[in-house]
Amino acid sequence: AQSVTQPDIHITVSEGASLELRCNYSYGATPYLFWYVQSPGQGLQLLLKYFSGDTLVQGIKGFEAEFKRSQSSFNLRKPSVHWSDAAEYFCAVPRHRPQTGGGADGLTFGKGTHLIIQP
Amino acid sequence: NAGVMQNPRHLVRRRGQEARLRCSPMKGHSHVYWYRQLPEEGLKFMVYLQKENIIDESGMPKERFSAEFPKEGPSILRIQQVVRGDSAAYFCASSPGPGGPYYNEQFFGPGTRLTVL
């Protein structure tokens, strides 16, 4: 089974400052990687995903993430955070290695990083 | 295109009662996934279903929990004889079948928050 580690449980950032949330994965092949955001009391919204190709991925709400195979990382970044970015952020991978031709699968999530924005 | 719908949004049950959680996937989606989120935890996979088939239920507790996705109607996650430890947020996600541009991408519903008294 594949796994995901988010080393930071809480991160506090001042509004307008840059942000980087860490994600490390364990995966037996070229991974599919996802970042989701969860606002309080809400479901999860997909921010961005990496399947293949360009290792720098652009997402919604001004977020981007960079896939680094050598470091087994897929860190999420934003150049300037807004108070509305306060939320829980989850990194995820498929539970199993993709089958030949692809295969839908459940996701394995990290434990999440709680982002606090200071005024 | 309506998103994934779950109801009820909040459910309160007493110990020993049954809880039935419903999930309607996005239009055109044939794959449904259920996840459980305990307080201060990430989401844990429970079960993956396609219409009338359970594909992977390796994340489901062996007893009291069951899931179905009938030919018609929503997917149902059923918890019999609930205990306090079942209190959690239960999320449903859906994805299209293979071949589409969003294959393997999951869209989540708002969740059902179950409280067991």
Side-chain angles (χ1 to χ4, degrees), chain A residues 27 29-34 50-52 92-94 98-99 101-103 107, chain B residues 103-104:
Chain A
Y27 204 81
T30 299
Y32 296 166
L33 294 155
F34 305 86
Y50 172 79
F51 283 175
S52 65
V93 296
Q99 303 299 314
L107 296 174
Chain B
Y103 184 49
N104 219 348

Side-chain angles (χ1 to χ4, degrees), chain A residues 10 32 34 36 38-46 49 51 88 90 94-96 98 101-112, chain B residues 9 31 33 35 37 40-45 48 50 56 58-59 89 91 95-96 98 101-111 113:
Chain A
H10 300 278
Y32 296 166
F34 305 86
Y36 283 87
Q38 183 182 29
S39 297
Q42 301 297 314
L44 276 70
Q45 181 181 22
L46 181 68
K49 59 186 182 288
F51 283 175
E88 194 81 18
F90 294 98
R95 295 176 66 242
H96 301 99
D105 195 0
L107 296 174
T108 292
F109 286 85
K111 291 194 172 184
Chain B
R9 293 291 305 274
H31 298 217
Y33 312 81
Y35 296 85
Q37 184 179 33
E40 308 298 322
E41 293 282 329
L43 278 73
K44 301 288 188 193
F45 168 82
Y48 163 34
Q50 296 178 21
D56 181 354
S58 58
F91 290 95
S95 68
Y102 301 108
Y103 184 49
N104 219 348
E105 178 177 334
Q106 297 182 18
F107 298 82
F108 282 80
R113 277 139 186 94

Side-chain angles (χ1 to χ4, degrees), chain B residues 67-102:
Chain B
E68 62 177 8
F69 188 17
K71 186 176 180 181
E72 301 290 338
S75 176
I76 306 287
L77 178 67
R78 183 182 178 206
I79 311 172
Q80 295 178 288
Q81 299 176 315
V82 296
V83 301
R84 288 221 174 100
D86 297 332
S87 295
Y90 292 83
F91 290 95
C92 167
S94 72
S95 68
Y102 301 108

Side-chain angles (χ1 to χ4, degrees), chain A residues 2-118:
Chain A
Q2 319 308 310
S3 65
V4 175
T5 301
Q6 293 181 248
D8 304 304
I9 299 173
H10 300 278
I11 289 226
T12 301
V13 178
S14 297
E15 190 169 14
S18 63
L19 169 70
E20 183 169 28
L21 302 182
R22 295 184 290 166
C23 172
N24 294 100
Y25 64 88
S26 167
Y27 204 81
T30 299
Y32 296 166
L33 294 155
F34 305 86
W35 273 101
Y36 283 87
V37 60
Q38 183 182 29
S39 297
Q42 301 297 314
L44 276 70
Q45 181 181 22
L46 181 68
L47 284 175
L48 47 77
K49 59 186 182 288
Y50 172 79
F51 283 175
S52 65
D54 193 347
T55 56
L56 186 62
V57 179
Q58 301 297 320
I60 63 170
K61 304 185 180 187
F63 285 92
E64 65 179 27
E66 186 171 12
F67 168 58
K68 292 186 177 180
R69 184 188 301 276
S70 61
Q71 299 176 20
S72 298
S73 69
F74 188 56
N75 294 347
L76 182 71
R77 302 194 295 244
K78 187 170 184 177
S80 176
V81 297
H82 186 262
W83 63 267
S84 60
D85 293 324
E88 194 81 18
Y89 291 80
F90 294 98
C91 184
V93 296
R95 295 176 66 242
H96 301 99
R97 292 167 60 175
Q99 303 299 314
T100 300
D105 195 0
L107 296 174
T108 292
F109 286 85
K111 291 194 172 184
T113 297
H114 184 61
L115 177 62
I116 300 166
I117 306 296
Q118 281 184 335

